[in-house]
């Protein structure tokens, strides 16, 4: 397990809490950074930068790692830029201010990290799997969605949340049935899947 806990990281985490920004949970980050080290991941495409927290933690876990990360919310994108500068990681983390739906990249990556709009995961998985290196991985966050995915539908009051939960379930089925990838599910953080290209 990698433990990086500097004052600057604490500040980013506090900013996220104060502004209701859903950054990765501690055990999720530990899992992700350990995964990067163990699997010699040297390039990551992240969908959903928020304020750069997970990108910074990933970059700090492996000094060779290069990350491209996309965010559609301008305020968060600008905050991420600031945070990445503070850590002098501008050379290793490239931020793109864009809706990932409109993103077309030619580059190939060892790992794609899906952590954006949960209802878009199937689309993102399909479109970005072309950007994977051989035997590359796609990791997806929030498959448990604060435990709501395990709940009965009737127990979820909000219609929007119900529809989102349904989409997450559809995504899980999509992963289970996808023969081009081998997927493992982990009850870590807010629920994580690791899909490896066969
Ligand atoms: N990976 C971050 C947290 C990301 S939160 C961390 O753990 O530190 C999810 C982010 O995805 C939000 O900031 C949201 O604005 C962004 N997002 C959602 N849908 C998106 C899309 N279609 N394109 C780009 N960004 C998107
Ligand atoms: Mg997340």
């Amino acid at each position: 397990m990698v433990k990086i806990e500097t004052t600057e990281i604490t500040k980013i985490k506090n900013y996220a809490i104060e502004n209701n920004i859903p950054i990765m949970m501690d055990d999720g980050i530990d899992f992700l950074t350990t995964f990067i080290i163990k699997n010699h991941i040297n390039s990551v495409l992240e969908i959903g930068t928020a304020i750069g927290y997970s990108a910074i933690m990933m970059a700090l876990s492996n000094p060779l790692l290069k990350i491209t990360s996309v965010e559609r919310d301008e305020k968060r994108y600008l905050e991420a830029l600031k945070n990445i500068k503070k850590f002098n990681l501008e050379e290793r983390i490239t931020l793109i201010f864009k809706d990932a739906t409109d993103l077309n990249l030619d580059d190939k990556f060892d790992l794609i990290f899906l952590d954006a709009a949960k209802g878009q995961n199937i689309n993102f998985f399909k479109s970005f799997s072309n950007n994977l290196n051989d035997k590359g991985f796609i990791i997806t966050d929030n498959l448990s969605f604060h435990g709501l995915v395990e709940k009965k539908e009737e127990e979820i009051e909000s219609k929007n949340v119900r529809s989102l939960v349904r989409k997450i379930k559809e995504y899980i089925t999509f992963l289970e049935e996808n023969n081009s990838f081998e997927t493992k599910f982990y009850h870590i953080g807010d629920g994580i899947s690791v899909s490896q290209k066969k």
Side-chain angles (χ1 to χ4, degrees):
M1 204 191 296
V2 239
K3 273 266 170 274
I4 303 158
E5 197 65 42
T6 66
T7 324
E8 283 307 328
I9 289 289
T10 308
K11 278 191 201 158
I12 295 176
K13 283 166 121 178
N14 287 339
Y15 178 98
I17 295 167
E18 282 156 21
N19 293 278
N20 253 318
I21 297 165
I23 59 168
M24 244 197 156
M25 297 166 79
D26 286 348
D27 47 351
I29 278 289
D30 283 344
F31 176 86
L32 190 60
T33 49
T34 306
F35 184 92
I36 284 171
I37 297 166
K38 271 198 195 149
N39 294 283
H40 310 286
I41 302 293
N42 286 327
S43 55
V44 175
L45 170 63
E46 177 181 61
I47 311 299
T49 319
I51 55 172
Y53 170 69
S54 51
I56 290 169
M57 293 301 277
M58 288 192 274
L60 294 178
S61 74
N62 169 9
L64 296 177
L65 183 62
K66 289 206 166 180
I67 303 170
T68 300
S69 186
V70 57
E71 173 59 52
R72 69 175 172 193
D73 179 289
E74 187 168 24
K75 190 168 173 223
R76 291 183 182 182
Y77 160 77
L78 293 172
E79 189 65 26
L81 272 184
K82 253 201 289 181
N83 287 331
I84 284 155
K85 262 205 188 116
K86 273 190 208 153
F87 282 85
N88 293 313
L89 288 170
E90 307 100 295
E91 308 256 295
R92 294 204 287 126
I93 304 177
T94 305
L95 293 187
I96 303 174
F97 171 45
K98 209 179 187 137
D99 193 307
T101 319
D102 306 323
L103 182 67
N104 281 303
L105 294 173
D106 294 327
D107 314 62
K108 301 260 183 196
F109 301 87
D110 296 337
L111 169 67
I112 295 171
F113 177 44
L114 297 184
D115 194 17
K118 309 306 163 199
Q120 290 280 339
N121 276 340
I122 295 186
N123 289 339
F124 290 155
F125 192 104
K126 284 183 183 163
S127 62
F128 294 118
S129 40
N130 297 324
N131 296 93
L132 268 189
N133 283 324
D134 287 349
K135 305 265 169 196
F137 299 93
I138 298 183
I139 293 187
T140 312
D141 190 29
N142 307 103
L143 293 183
S144 160
F145 206 60
H146 323 295
L148 289 172
V149 174
E150 287 85 6
K151 274 203 173 169
K152 290 204 190 93
E153 256 190 42
E154 313 86 84
E155 288 177 305
I156 304 165
E157 273 178 34
S158 148
K159 206 171 166 200
N160 287 340
V161 175
R162 234 174 10 239
S163 137
L164 205 54
V165 164
R166 209 170 293 150
K167 286 192 176 135
I168 295 174
K169 285 183 179 160
E170 275 166 27
Y171 180 64
I172 293 171
T173 307
F174 162 84
L175 292 178
E176 285 168 346
E177 291 176 351
N178 192 325
N179 292 323
S180 316
F181 284 80
E182 163 97 55
T183 297
K184 290 185 181 139
F185 297 92
Y186 298 89
H187 285 283
I188 292 174
D190 193 29
I192 292 173
S193 63
V194 177
S195 311
Q196 184 171 30
K197 200 163 148 190
K198 285 185 189 162

